[in-house]
Amino acid sequence: DGTYQIESMLNNNYVLDVTSSSISNGANVQLYESNNTNAQGWKITHDENGYVTFTNVNSGKVLEVSTGKASDSQNIVQNTSDGSRKQKWIVIKRNNGYEIVSALNKSYCIDLSGSSVRNSSNIQLYSSNGTNAQRWQINKFSSIAVAIDEIANENRNAIVDGTYQIESMLNNNYVLDV
């Protein structure tokens, strides 16, 4: 359990993302270049049976098979959690990443449509075929705000509180003036 970004094995610079940072039910899940926004962060939790739920950090909504049916090309969206199998997943470690299998049917998993690594490529449910279009890396997520907070904390003692004159590094005859 924790908060992660889900990266494509075809190119780990591209991750699962909720289109336009939407907070609406039914908003599409797509592949998009990593930008560390909350639309690309996923809180992973396990239930008592070991099923995984992926909750989007931005919207608080969960990954779901839109139709609730296990068949090829079913769209993956976000929706309010209802605890149904269409919103539950089994994450299986493979030698080259993770396969994210639907709790609807063990033969179907999360797939990058057409193996197309580009912004806005669709994420769908598809028959498991062992390709990297169905393999994912799951790595710790840190939003831009959290990353900036960490930098501030690491540098909190770089300068002592006080009153200073700020001079230009190019020419110390120039100072910051209000």
Side-chain angles (χ1 to χ4, degrees):
D1 291 1
T3 305
Y4 301 91
Q5 68 179 17
I6 303 165
E7 304 166 357
S8 171
M9 284 292 293
L10 293 170
N11 182 333
N12 65 357
N13 292 321
Y14 287 81
V15 301
L16 293 189
D17 172 278
V18 176
T19 301
S20 301
S21 298
S22 177
I23 58 171
S24 299
N25 284 335
N28 195 51
V29 176
Q30 64 183 358
L31 192 73
Y32 208 86
E33 192 166 5
S34 179
N35 57 31
N36 298 99
T37 59
N38 286 341
Q40 297 179 345
W42 300 93
K43 182 179 175 192
I44 292 177
T45 55
H46 291 79
D47 69 13
E48 62 281 352
N49 294 318
Y51 290 106
V52 172
T53 300
F54 295 92
T55 305
N56 186 259
V57 171
N58 185 59
S59 67
K61 299 188 186 302
V62 302
L63 274 185
E64 126 177 333
V65 178
S66 63
T67 62
K69 297 177 183 166
S71 60
D72 288 343
S73 304
Q74 297 303 306
N75 202 32
I76 303 295
V77 299
Q78 71 173 6
N79 211 337
T80 301
S81 179
D82 64 16
S84 66
R85 285 187 172 268
K86 68 182 178 179
Q87 299 178 341
K88 293 184 181 278
W89 306 91
I90 304 162
V91 178
I92 301 172
K93 177 72 173 143
R94 302 289 187 205
N95 55 355
N96 61 341
Y98 294 92
E99 182 179 24
I100 304 172
V101 176
S102 173
L104 293 168
N105 183 320
K106 67 180 182 173
S107 297
Y108 291 86
C109 63
I110 292 180
D111 175 268
L112 172 57
S113 181
S115 300
S116 179
V117 179
R118 60 181 173 75
N119 286 341
S120 304
S121 288
N122 198 47
I123 302 298
Q124 64 183 0
L125 193 70
Y126 208 82
S127 301
S128 180
N129 58 33
T131 66
N132 280 347
Q134 300 178 346
R135 295 296 184 267
W136 308 92
Q137 288 295 323
I138 300 175
N139 289 308
K140 185 108 175 103
F141 173 75
S142 184
S143 69
I144 294 169
V146 169
I148 292 170
D149 290 348
E150 289 171 355
I151 292 168
N153 189 45
E154 291 169 4
N155 292 284
R156 71 175 342 135
N157 296 318
I159 189 168
V160 178
D161 290 349
T163 303
Y164 297 89
Q165 175 175 297
I166 302 172
E167 299 175 353
S168 167
M169 293 294 292
L170 298 174
N171 182 339
N172 63 1
N173 290 326
Y174 291 97
V175 296
L176 187 61
D177 187 23
V178 183

